[in-house]
Amino acid sequence: RRYTALPGFAAAAADPTHGQVQVRASGGGLVPQGAGVWNLSLAWPAASAAPVDTSGVYRALCNALAAALARLGVAASPQPVEGSFCDGRYNLAAGGRKLVGTAQAWRRIGPVPVVLAHAVIVAGADPVELTARANAFEAALGTATRYRADALTSVARECTPPYDEARLLAVLAEQLARVVPPREHHPEHTHHGSA
């Protein structure tokens, strides 16, 4: 949202060479989208709409994603990556290059407080092309911000054996099915023991 205050925003957003520009309410920076960039969102009920243990949510999301990527031969860990677009403490990086960006939001939907944990995964997209697009938009905005193509990588470049989109999807689905917090059970449906 902060980009909308820049003098060059309206013209840059209307320029078709930049594709469709979406403004998000959350913080962070510019995130190019397109083929080979996957957006993963997990949502679950929370005790309150006020953020609680945001670092814990980020760590759990990063740990789950890192475990899934490890099954594809990708060693990833949470860290900032200077020179990457929308850099943050809870990027997942492989070999010091950003592979996944994360975000979270706490909201109330009707009477229910919810937490949304989000990840942008550079799956099969070309990191050089994504970085060039981000830099072109920053230039159109008139900012001095520029990103480094060598600060970004993709699952396709990092995984072994050769990249298989269907395999990545299956591994993410299997891993995340185990980490989504369970729904709160009513007392009459509560059972003892571990699942």
Side-chain angles (χ1 to χ4, degrees):
R1 183 180 288 164
R2 65 185 169 86
Y3 281 74
T4 62
L6 296 172
F9 179 79
D15 184 340
T17 62
H18 300 300
Q20 184 180 13
V21 175
Q22 298 280 333
V23 177
R24 67 182 189 278
S26 63
L30 179 69
V31 180
Q33 299 286 319
V37 177
W38 292 12
N39 290 274
L40 169 76
S41 296
L42 303 174
W44 61 89
S48 163
V52 177
D53 190 24
T54 57
S55 292
V57 171
Y58 278 123
R59 282 192 302 272
L61 178 60
C62 286
N63 289 343
L65 291 170
L69 291 169
R71 293 173 58 190
L72 300 173
V74 180
S77 60
Q79 67 184 77
V81 179
E82 187 177 344
S84 65
F85 55 78
C86 200
D87 189 22
R89 287 186 304 159
Y90 294 102
N91 297 323
L92 270 184
R97 294 177 297 179
K98 182 174 179 173
L99 183 66
V100 177
T102 61
Q104 66 180 283
W106 295 66
R107 299 281 186 272
R108 185 174 295 282
I109 299 178
V112 181
V114 295
V115 59
L116 170 72
H118 183 71
V120 174
I121 303 166
V122 182
D126 178 6
V128 173
E129 190 268 337
L130 281 180
T131 304
R133 285 179 41 215
N135 283 335
F137 193 70
E138 291 283 3
L141 292 171
T143 74
T145 302
R146 296 298 178 270
Y147 310 104
R148 296 187 351 259
D150 66 350
L152 190 67
T153 189
S154 66
V155 176
R157 288 187 177 189
E158 300 295 328
C159 72
T160 55
Y163 175 64
D164 179 342
E165 187 174 90
R167 174 78 177 131
L168 173 59
L169 183 59
V171 165
L172 287 170
E174 289 166 10
Q175 183 67 41
L176 295 169
R178 292 191 292 267
V179 300
V180 175
R183 292 183 186 162
E184 292 182 22
H185 296 287
H186 295 289
E188 64 270 16
H189 296 126
T190 301
H191 60 277
H192 298 286
S194 56

